Amino acid sequence: MSLKILDTCVNCDVCEPACPNKAISLGEEFYVIDPDLCTECIGHHDEPQCVVVCPVECIITDPENVESHEQLDLKYQHLMAKESVA
Ligand code: SF4
Ligand code: SF4
């Protein structure tokens, strides 16, 4: 399942560079996560790095983007394949 940033985000900027998939960017009002790029850090780290670094605990699992470990792993494989072509 990809993660989601709540509107309690204080735009502190620390999660954006922590994301190994470049899935986090500044949205209109606060930071947002692209569900097509978020693998919950599977393939890179044991736990979601954005959640680890966020000082206000405003990053949750997105109930609208439920994915299994296998689906997330597949997404990771696709992202890596794209990166090696680019
Ligand atoms: S869980 Fe990992 S891949 Fe997903 S947005 Fe957070 S840091 Fe990026
Ligand atoms: S670390 Fe948390 S508070 Fe800071 S920009 Fe990211 S989501 Fe917002």
Side-chain angles (χ1 to χ4, degrees), residues 40-53:
E40 245 184 88
C41 281
I42 281 171
H44 293 281
H45 302 284
D46 290 340
E47 49 185 338
Q49 295 303 290
C50 54
V51 174
V52 170
V53 298

Side-chain angles (χ1 to χ4, degrees), residues 5-60:
I5 297 175
L6 301 174
D7 63 5
T8 44
C9 166
V10 295
N11 292 340
C12 73
D13 307 332
V14 302
C15 58
E16 185 185 9
C19 178
N21 293 327
K22 297 187 172 68
I24 303 175
S25 61
L26 186 57
E28 278 181 28
E29 290 176 44
F30 51 91
Y31 277 82
V32 293
I33 294 175
D34 183 342
D36 291 337
L37 297 178
C38 176
T39 63
E40 245 184 88
C41 281
I42 281 171
H44 293 281
H45 302 284
D46 290 340
E47 49 185 338
Q49 295 303 290
C50 54
V51 174
V52 170
V53 298
C54 180
V56 294
E57 295 177 11
C58 67
I59 307 175
I60 60 159

